[in-house]
Amino acid sequence: PTRRSSDLGRDRGADLETDRVADAAEIFDVRAIQLRGAHAELDEAVDAMRTFDWVIDSHCLHCIIGADRTRVLENVFNALSVGGRFFVSTMCGEVTMPALRACFDPVSRCQVVNGVAYRFIGAPEEILEELRAAGFELHSSRIEPRTSNDDQDNLWVMAVRR
């Protein structure tokens, strides 16, 4: 079920996974006081449209596959108030992790185990285009390069609902 944060004053937000407000503030140099959040299930439509000032994806988006990605991004967009921010942290780029490469389908760009797609490892440009197509304006983005071949590049994005 969708849960909304309690009375938070000016800032109301949702986190797709766990509370990563401090991480997002540090990464994007967001100057905000007393940000508080709630976990929300955004694979279903949010019952209160344009309720949230921010939504944080902490390594969840790459686990959403196929048409579900479009639906979730649409729900995130609709959950945000005008000017609301969507912070994204997702795996991206060339797949170098041996365990991931062993079951990676380069056509779908998915990790496939026993015929089931588990992770989408898109090119950064592809992921940014998905966000634009969902209606977001991209405020900033950067790629955090992998530190070894047992790691994966990470895409950080701050997208805004206009």
Side-chain angles (χ1 to χ4, degrees):
T2 300
R3 291 180 296 273
R4 285 177 278 149
S5 54
S6 59
D7 183 11
L8 303 176
R10 215 183 88 225
D11 292 306
R12 296 171 62 90
D15 179 353
L16 293 185
E17 188 179 10
T18 58
D19 192 5
R20 299 286 185 211
V21 174
D23 293 347
E26 180 180 325
I27 289 164
F28 293 107
D29 195 28
V30 173
R31 303 292 182 217
I33 297 172
Q34 296 180 340
L35 285 175
R36 297 180 191 204
H39 177 82
E41 302 295 335
L42 292 174
D43 59 340
E44 297 177 9
V46 176
D47 57 358
M49 305 299 265
R50 297 183 180 199
T51 298
F52 297 106
D53 294 309
W54 46 268
V55 172
I56 298 174
D57 161 32
S58 179
H59 273 226
C60 213
L61 186 59
H62 60 252
C63 295
I64 302 168
I65 310 300
D68 289 342
R69 292 175 68 82
T70 302
R71 182 169 40 88
V72 166
L73 290 174
E74 178 182 295
N75 289 341
V76 169
F77 184 85
N78 288 331
L80 287 168
S81 58
V82 173
R85 293 172 176 87
F86 181 31
F87 298 98
V88 177
S89 173
T90 191
M91 296 168 72
C92 70
E94 179 186 353
V95 174
T96 59
M97 297 170 62
L100 189 53
R101 279 177 74 145
C103 55
F104 183 72
D105 173 28
V107 175
S108 68
R109 300 215 40 93
C110 288
Q111 174 192 24
V112 180
V113 178
N114 296 326
V116 177
Y118 280 93
R119 288 189 182 98
F120 172 77
I121 315 296
E125 303 78 26
E126 184 177 7
I127 298 166
L128 295 173
E129 184 51 38
E130 284 181 304
L131 292 166
R132 283 186 203 98
F136 290 101
E137 177 181 303
L138 303 182
H139 181 271
S140 62
S141 66
R142 72 177 176 89
I143 298 170
E144 182 178 344
R146 63 186 173 276
T147 56
S148 73
N149 282 343
D150 287 328
D151 197 6
Q152 190 62 45
D153 291 346
N154 193 73
L155 177 64
W156 294 94
V157 181
M158 183 171 66
V160 181
R161 178 184 177 141
R162 293 286 180 213

